[in-house]
Amino acid sequence: MRYLTIGHICQDILPNGWMFGGAATYSARMAQALGCQVQVLTSLRSDVDVRPALADIEVVRLPSDHTTTFENIYVDHVRHQTLHAVAERLTPDRFPAVPTADIVHLAPIAQEVDLGWLACFPGALIGVTPQGWLRQWDAQGRISPIGWAEAAEVLPRADVVIISIEDVAHQEDLVQQWAAQAKMLVVTRGAHGCTVHQNKLVTAVPTHSVEIVDATGAGDIFAASFLVRLRQTGDPIAAARFANYLASQSITRRGLDSIPTAHEIEVYLSR
């Protein structure tokens, strides 16, 4: 299965250095762990070597003077972000050859993914995690929420839109509004699992409780797991159970070590 993710690979500043991050990084690694042939379309500085984070994954990069760089501080499991730099915007016309894929994941983190990509992949399963379209930043780079201006354009065109309830500040009325426009809307709800909204039906899919070590990337791991399993089975509830399980395993570890292992995947599937 060919999995294409479009979004910035970023650098996350840590107290003692930095690590690779971004929805494109975590979702690509998760899709790889699930046996997919993975490709990433991104933009970052030419001197940044992504191989330690994305070994055996094809990375097609648009040259940039900057690499998107975030600083994340968690207080009581709530993330406070500062954006220090942003790479080039990702538009179809800036990539000479649009690849083919079975699954396409539009994964913006800083308003960088152009909506033109929605029309580039006939026959593919199009998944969207719009978090990067739901944030803005001031002159100091401090991130704050912003309304999703393009929601009415994206929701009916994507096959699946996956959001966190935190992305919409727990506004259930906004969830219902978006669900009415979307083919399928999946809302992750932390320890409460997720809800799948499709054809005016809402299905709550619980998860099991674990001790949180680091929640970074869990939503992206959920998204990739859900999209792959949905493409395999055609069953969104089975996909949600699978994604809940792998996301819950991921938050028991830090950084890219959170990517579920082949053993964890096999344990779930063997059940």
Side-chain angles (χ1 to χ4, degrees):
M1 190 178 296
R2 298 162 298 174
Y3 190 105
L4 172 66
T5 185
I6 303 174
H8 283 168
I9 296 169
C10 73
Q11 294 176 322
D12 287 336
I13 296 174
L14 304 174
N16 57 349
W18 63 271
M19 69 176 184
F20 285 107
T25 301
Y26 282 92
S27 63
R29 283 284 299 272
M30 186 67 251
Q32 181 188 46
L34 292 169
C36 296
Q37 176 184 330
V38 183
Q39 187 177 52
V40 179
L41 301 188
T42 192
S43 178
L44 71 167
R45 285 171 57 104
S46 60
D47 60 348
V48 176
D49 184 2
V50 299
R51 288 174 296 180
L54 295 169
D56 301 320
I57 291 174
E58 183 182 358
V59 177
V60 180
R61 64 169 79 195
L62 182 66
S64 176
D65 292 332
H66 305 283
T67 297
T68 299
T69 304
F70 285 95
E71 186 172 8
N72 302 306
I73 298 175
Y74 285 89
V75 179
D76 296 329
H77 305 304
V78 177
R79 182 171 62 180
H80 300 267
Q81 289 188 299
T82 301
L83 181 62
H84 293 285
V86 185
E88 294 294 313
R89 183 168 172 80
L90 306 175
T91 60
D93 61 289
R94 303 188 74 179
F95 291 84
V98 175
T100 57
D102 301 295
I103 300 170
V104 177
H105 180 184
L106 303 186
I109 58 173
Q111 297 281 352
E112 78 275 21
V113 177
D114 187 80
L115 298 189
W117 291 110
L118 288 167
C120 293
F121 305 99
L125 174 70
I126 306 295
V128 173
T129 49
Q131 185 181 63
W133 290 325
L134 301 174
R135 56 170 59 128
Q136 61 184 347
W137 50 93
D138 61 19
Q140 288 72 44
R142 291 173 297 201
I143 298 288
S144 61
I146 188 174
W148 188 11
E150 300 86 2
E153 183 175 354
V154 177
L155 288 164
R157 297 174 67 188
D159 295 300
V160 186
V161 175
I162 302 172
I163 63 169
S164 164
I165 193 62
E166 295 178 352
D167 291 338
V168 294
H170 298 267
Q171 297 179 74
E172 296 292 349
D173 57 339
L174 186 56
V175 169
Q176 297 304 318
Q177 178 184 328
W178 287 357
Q181 301 175 67
K183 295 179 183 177
M184 185 187 304
L185 179 71
V186 181
V187 184
T188 61
R189 298 175 179 272
H192 300 289
C194 68
T195 48
V196 179
H197 303 249
Q198 186 182 32
N199 299 328
K200 300 183 179 180
L201 297 176
V202 183
T203 304
V205 183
T207 190
H208 66 284
S209 179
V210 298
E211 185 171 347
I212 299 175
V213 174
D214 183 4
T216 302
D220 311 312
I221 288 169
F222 177 97
S225 302
F226 183 92
L227 293 172
V228 170
R229 197 66 177 152
L230 179 64
R231 182 75 183 197
Q232 290 172 334
T233 68
D235 184 342
I237 307 308
R241 293 194 186 102
F242 181 65
N244 273 346
Y245 173 77
L246 294 186
S248 71
Q249 297 304 300
S250 77
I251 63 177
T252 64
R253 300 184 290 267
R254 294 189 183 278
L256 290 175
D257 289 337
S258 65
I259 303 299
T261 65
H263 174 71
E264 288 168 334
I265 296 166
E266 287 301 321
V267 166
Y268 179 86
L269 293 177
S270 68
R271 294 174 181 172

